[in-house]
Amino acid sequence: MPYNGKINYYKKSVATIESFSGEKKPTLLMHVCCGPCSCFPLTFLCPHFDVALYFNNSNIYPESEYQRRLNELLKLLESIKKDYGYDINVIINPYDNEGYMKDLAPFATQREGGERCRICYRKRMEEAYDYAENNGFDYFCTVMTISRQKDSQILNSIGRDLEAKHSKTKYFYSDFKKNKGIDKGQAMREHYNLYKQEYCGCVYSYQSMLKKEETKTKN
């Protein structure tokens, strides 16, 4: 189901959901990076899946920012439980920025969106996918397709590659930003008064954000 030479992953996600039959929901583990990005995907997925979350984001710098984003996610889950009735479990991996960044350091001078970012996507998705497989989840996906700054074609191609390496857990293709998903997510973020981060996460995007702020100040 291509559009403009690309695959329409939103339609692919709807088709998967429509293929379900029976009263029991399949289980799904979703890699998440923060609360704001999780808003719409959770309301999209929870009616159809028994959802759990995997928070493994040692790319985030500094540690105080990592903790703030984690706290906002936990704050969102409390609100989701209260307003929608979904009790969503989150698995939290220990923070290890120094160890995580060793694979990204050789690409330090690249602009955001290049090979460094693709390595970062894959590292986190693969670790979360391994957990899903080892713990009997029916499906795995990543929340990152909600972001305007991230190419869903790339993210889903990574997911497809990872699915080929896993024998039990299927990959759930998505493009959460489509069909006004990004607008719905923004409205939820504002409704729940969630902190909106100003950069993607790693030290390189953090430094880029500081340079942009400095330029604005000078101008």
Side-chain angles (χ1 to χ4, degrees):
M1 47 188 74
Y3 65 103
N4 296 329
K6 299 180 179 180
I7 297 174
N8 190 323
Y9 287 112
Y10 170 75
K11 288 187 176 180
K12 197 173 180 70
S13 67
V14 172
T16 298
I17 290 172
E18 290 178 345
S19 72
F20 296 159
S21 61
E23 296 181 359
K24 186 177 180 181
K25 294 179 179 179
T27 56
L28 179 143
L29 183 72
M30 180 165 66
H31 158 256
V32 293
C33 55
C34 62
C37 286
S38 303
C39 288
F40 172 72
L42 285 176
T43 59
F44 179 82
L45 294 170
C46 284
H48 312 289
F49 294 93
D50 181 3
V51 178
L53 307 180
Y54 197 84
F55 190 87
N56 62 324
N57 300 290
S58 289
N59 59 304
I60 299 174
Y61 176 89
E63 186 172 1
S64 58
E65 178 72 13
Y66 166 90
Q67 193 59 53
R68 186 174 188 180
R69 296 188 191 188
L70 174 57
N71 289 341
E72 290 297 282
L73 173 64
L74 298 176
K75 173 184 172 182
L76 171 66
L77 295 183
E78 290 179 0
S79 298
I80 292 288
K81 182 178 181 180
K82 178 182 177 182
D83 294 345
Y84 295 87
Y86 300 122
D87 191 2
I88 302 166
N89 183 42
V90 55
I91 298 95
I92 304 169
N93 252 32
Y95 181 74
D96 179 18
N97 182 257
E98 182 178 354
Y100 184 91
M101 294 302 294
K102 289 179 180 178
D103 290 335
L104 305 188
F107 304 93
T109 59
Q110 283 194 349
R111 296 180 63 181
E112 192 167 346
E115 183 63 21
R116 184 186 71 235
C117 294
R118 297 186 188 195
I119 293 172
C120 187
Y121 304 156
R122 181 178 289 272
K123 278 172 66 71
R124 288 180 288 154
M125 287 174 66
E126 184 165 23
E127 182 182 337
Y129 209 136
D130 288 347
Y131 184 94
E133 175 94 350
N134 293 334
N135 288 272
F137 283 86
D138 298 313
Y139 286 88
F140 166 79
C141 75
T142 177
V143 79
M144 291 190 288
T145 64
I146 190 70
S147 173
R148 285 193 181 98
Q149 285 73 42
K150 294 178 175 62
D151 190 332
S152 295
Q153 301 293 314
I154 292 172
L155 291 166
N156 283 293
S157 68
I158 293 172
R160 182 177 61 250
D161 292 345
L162 293 176
E163 182 179 38
K165 298 179 180 179
H166 294 81
S167 60
K168 299 176 183 178
T169 303
K170 299 177 183 179
Y171 179 71
F172 181 77
Y173 293 91
S174 69
D175 195 346
F176 294 121
K177 70 174 71 65
K178 297 299 182 182
N179 199 36
K180 297 186 178 180
I182 199 164
D183 297 325
K184 295 172 185 176
Q186 182 175 338
M188 288 182 66
R189 177 187 64 78
E190 293 172 354
H191 174 72
Y192 290 125
N193 192 29
L194 296 175
Y195 158 67
K196 180 184 178 183
Q197 55 266 23
E198 297 299 326
Y199 62 102
C200 182
C202 76
V203 62
Y204 308 118
S205 61
Y206 174 72
Q207 291 169 345
S208 178
M209 180 268 293
L210 292 180
K211 289 180 181 179
K212 288 180 181 178
E213 289 186 347
E214 183 179 353
T215 301
K216 289 180 181 179
T217 300
K218 289 182 179 179
N219 294 337

